Amino acid sequence: MAGAGEDDAAPPPPSPDRQQPMEEAAAAAKRSRSENHHGLADGPSFRMEDLPAEVQPVIISLLPLKEAVRTSIVSRSWTTLWRFHCDLCFDVDSNTDDNSAHQVNGTGTNDQSTNRYNTKITRAKFMETVNSVIQRHSGIGINKFSISCDLHKEDSHHLDKWIRFAASSKAKIIDFHRKISDYRVEEAPHFPLEALDAQGSSFVQSLSLASVSIKPRSGICRFTILRRLVLSSVQIFGDFPGLLAKCSRLEDLEIKWCSGVDDLIVPHTLDKLQHLLIAGMDVQMVEFHATDLAHFEYKGRVTPIVLHGCLKLEKATIAFEASNVLPHAFNVIPSISPVKILIVRAFISKYGQSLELPLRPQGMFMHLRHMTCKIIVLARDVNDYNGVLQLAHWLDSAPRLETLDLHLPMQMSYLRSGAFVSAEVAGVEAPCMRRHDHLKTVFMSGFQCYKSQIELACCILGNASVLEQLTVEAIWGDDDYGRICEWAEVTSKRFGKVITVLDAPLNSE
């Protein structure tokens, strides 16, 4: 048995002559792995402090402000780097933690128990934090100063302090958005426009305000480098046209749901203005002089609109709130005739009164290449109202049209019974329409195969000589989809054109 135990025992260790080369090979392999993993063993390590002093704040500014403040606990030499952050953006809904607030106030700690993430700060705490940051910030090199919070009228002195700091720091972008769930006009804080020219001139290039009040005065300096102005739900007191006259380099102007202005008449020429958006304004007249305007958008009530000298206008979006005002977009705004892209949204109702306007277009859109029309039809019986056919007349005003998108949703309260007609309607006579020699692509959504839709489609198919494809988008179930496909097959044979039927919205994903 002793002999068997000796046979099962481990083999004897290698001789010293063989053990030394094996140890040297293992050490060499270990060094190789270490160098491959860490790089050159003797290479210098990178440290933030090795960078030039003027570069370090630039790198820290690439972080969000909250994260930049947190870096002050990494090293004593980093304690003041965040104070040169170029973007000061404060949002009352953004998540913060107590440790970040302590760092702003110079009482930083590494105790992880003080980190309380996903905590919304109160309005008072928010104002305290903003005041603490601007008090300790260097005030040098600020690019953007943004505040989004629920500020009340009695807090206007805080807003005044913040904006004066931004102006003295020569901030290029200033945004103030008052976040509110129940907006009351009388509680809107006053935004101090006069603070922007505290140094005799303004350095602001972009100004965006929401849910505040402003009072432009004649003594305000010229905003000589302001390129973008956005006003949303702003109370406007004083000389608003005079304020715009001081914005000689304004390129982008958006005025949305503002009050206090009866007429938007600006007699001064804004020769740099390229984009003008007016939405939800209760004004009696809109008149601008903008020789470089390229994109015009209007959404709201029907009102006279005059745009002087807009020969470079390429795109216009017109959306009216009232019904039966489709002709207004084609006849009453002759200033938009140079456009290449036209987007029109309107209501057509069997029950509403129509404006006393010509039934045929009075002007021509000779440069129009792409038109999008969203026409919401209000009728109880879809086959008993043909108001959508007036589109055929307005297409006559665009003889060089190449692409046409028609969105024709019906109001959901109509009678569905009898809504669909048989494929035999494909043989109906199309309304009178001029020949289109450039129209190549037509898309119709909200297609329900009711009579006036079929007549309009046949009108286009019969007069578009180079039409490559008509695409219709059905909105009902499988049975109705089959009926529409039946109509498409019969109509395609009649006109010799390709008709594609889609059974789901293109943007359903």
Side-chain angles (χ1 to χ4, degrees), residues 172-452:
K172 299 177 181 178
I173 302 172
I174 295 180
D175 294 346
F176 178 79
H177 294 172
R178 183 188 175 211
K179 286 189 174 182
I180 42 175
S181 57
D182 183 18
Y183 176 65
R184 296 181 181 179
V185 175
E186 63 273 11
E187 294 182 359
H190 173 70
F191 184 88
L193 286 175
E194 62 278 2
L196 298 180
D197 65 337
Q199 296 180 339
S201 61
S202 174
F203 295 91
V204 182
Q205 298 181 17
S206 175
L207 178 63
S208 179
L209 306 177
S211 303
V212 296
S213 67
I214 61 172
K215 190 174 182 180
R217 293 182 291 190
S218 57
I220 295 179
C221 76
R222 300 179 63 87
F223 292 88
T224 54
I225 62 174
L226 185 65
R227 289 178 169 82
R228 182 173 183 264
L229 176 62
V230 178
L231 303 178
S232 180
S233 300
V234 173
Q235 282 184 287
I236 302 175
F237 304 100
D239 186 11
F240 183 61
L243 171 65
L244 295 180
K246 299 177 183 295
C247 305
S248 57
R249 296 190 181 182
L250 195 62
E251 298 175 359
D252 187 355
L253 175 60
E254 298 183 13
I255 311 171
K256 303 174 290 186
W257 305 289
C258 296
S259 60
V261 178
D262 295 328
D263 295 305
L264 270 176
I265 300 177
V266 182
H268 308 279
T269 301
L270 301 175
D271 55 1
K272 302 294 183 182
L273 189 63
Q274 298 180 17
H275 175 227
L276 174 61
L277 167 62
I278 301 172
M281 297 291 294
D282 187 15
V283 294
Q284 304 299 320
M285 179 75 178
V286 174
E287 184 174 359
F288 278 80
H289 295 73
T291 56
D292 212 26
L293 190 65
H295 185 192
F296 174 69
E297 298 180 79
Y298 180 84
K299 304 173 184 178
R301 56 178 292 183
V302 177
T303 191
I305 299 175
V306 180
L307 305 174
H308 297 281
C310 300
L311 300 179
K312 298 180 181 179
L313 194 62
E314 295 187 356
K315 182 178 180 180
T317 300
I318 309 296
F320 294 119
E321 296 173 349
S323 61
N324 297 333
V325 293
L326 181 61
H328 194 84
F330 297 92
N331 280 327
V332 191
I333 317 179
S335 311
I336 65 174
S337 59
V339 297
K340 296 179 181 179
I341 301 174
L342 176 62
I343 301 173
V344 177
R345 299 184 181 93
F347 294 87
I348 297 178
S349 174
K350 179 180 180 180
Y351 314 104
Q353 294 183 349
S354 300
L355 295 178
E356 295 296 330
L357 293 172
L359 296 179
R360 290 279 182 176
Q362 304 300 300
M364 300 297 288
F365 291 79
M366 299 302 299
H367 304 282
L368 187 59
R369 300 293 185 268
H370 189 161
M371 180 160 66
T372 299
C373 292
K374 181 177 182 180
I375 310 300
I376 300 177
V377 182
L378 307 175
R380 187 166 179 79
D381 188 344
V382 292
N383 283 317
D384 190 37
Y385 182 59
N386 61 356
V388 73
L389 292 179
Q390 62 181 281
L391 276 172
H393 299 312
W394 308 122
L395 292 178
D396 288 347
S397 64
R400 297 184 179 275
L401 192 65
E402 297 176 359
T403 302
L404 175 63
D405 294 333
L406 297 177
H407 305 274
L408 307 172
M410 293 292 299
Q411 187 188 40
M412 296 307 293
S413 61
Y414 73 91
L415 288 177
R416 184 175 178 180
S417 60
F420 294 94
V421 295
S422 66
E424 296 176 358
V425 181
V428 298
E429 293 297 327
C432 181
M433 176 179 167
R434 290 180 181 176
R435 179 184 174 92
H436 279 261
D437 294 327
H438 302 274
L439 188 58
K440 297 180 180 180
T441 305
V442 177
F443 173 77
M444 298 178 67
S445 71
F447 198 82
Q448 303 168 42
C449 216
Y450 60 85
K451 185 176 179 180
S452 59

Side-chain angles (χ1 to χ4, degrees), residues 407 409 443-447 471-477 481 501-509:
H407 305 274
F443 173 77
M444 298 178 67
S445 71
F447 198 82
T471 301
V472 296
E473 182 181 276
I475 64 173
W476 299 120
Y481 174 75
V501 181
L502 305 178
D503 60 349
L506 293 175
N507 59 349
S508 59
E509 296 181 359

